[in-house]
Amino acid sequence: QVHLVESEGGSVPAGGSLRLSCLASGSIDSIITFGWYRQASGKQRELVAEITRGGSTNYIDSVKGRFTISRGDTKTTLYLQMNSLKPEDAAVYYCNAGTSTTWGGRYDYWGHGTQVTVSS
């Protein structure tokens, strides 16, 4: 099992910056992808950015050049640096860990989510 705890989000004006962090504990070695999702009010949850075990990163187009995902040195902490925030970035952000299973599948663990508010 993997337990994920996100840092508190926050409220920033448009154009501002915020950094989210997520601390993982438990079966860290089973994590194959580590990422951030978000869910705005009335919308589906979407992948924002992810980083693979090998260090490859993937971002949705709307945040490319503004957000940066990274891991801490011990690989138990995930960060999301968010710059030039826009009102449309406002959402509940969830930390996600995709893990490998003994039967060759994937199981996802989620944090409880943290609110990011961007005022125009």
Side-chain angles (χ1 to χ4, degrees), residues 10 34 39 43 53 57 65 94:
F34 212 174
Q39 186 167 17
K43 295 188 177 181
R53 179 182 286 169
T57 57
Y94 295 90

Side-chain angles (χ1 to χ4, degrees), residues 7-82:
S7 60
E8 281 195 21
S11 180
V12 297
S17 297
L18 201 61
R19 189 176 84 154
L20 302 180
S21 62
C22 173
L23 180 64
S25 60
S27 302
I28 304 300
D29 290 342
S30 68
I31 297 175
I32 52 178
T33 62
F34 212 174
W36 291 96
Y37 286 68
R38 67 186 180 188
Q39 186 167 17
S41 180
K43 295 188 177 181
Q44 288 190 328
R45 190 174 297 188
E46 62 177 357
L47 173 65
V48 177
E50 67 179 358
I51 186 166
T52 68
R53 179 182 286 169
S56 299
T57 57
N58 180 41
Y59 298 88
I60 56 169
D61 287 344
S62 61
V63 306
K64 286 179 180 177
R66 300 189 297 121
F67 289 13
T68 303
I69 191 170
S70 62
R71 291 176 304 195
D73 290 341
T74 60
K75 300 199 171 116
T76 60
T77 307
L78 182 70
Y79 300 101
L80 184 67
Q81 178 66 44
M82 303 184 291

Side-chain angles (χ1 to χ4, degrees), residues 95-118:
C95 182
N96 167 272
T99 64
S100 57
T101 63
T102 54
W103 59 87
R106 173 189 170 118
Y107 187 84
D108 287 285
Y109 291 91
W110 298 91
H112 287 164
T114 188
Q115 179 71 52
V116 171
T117 303
V118 183

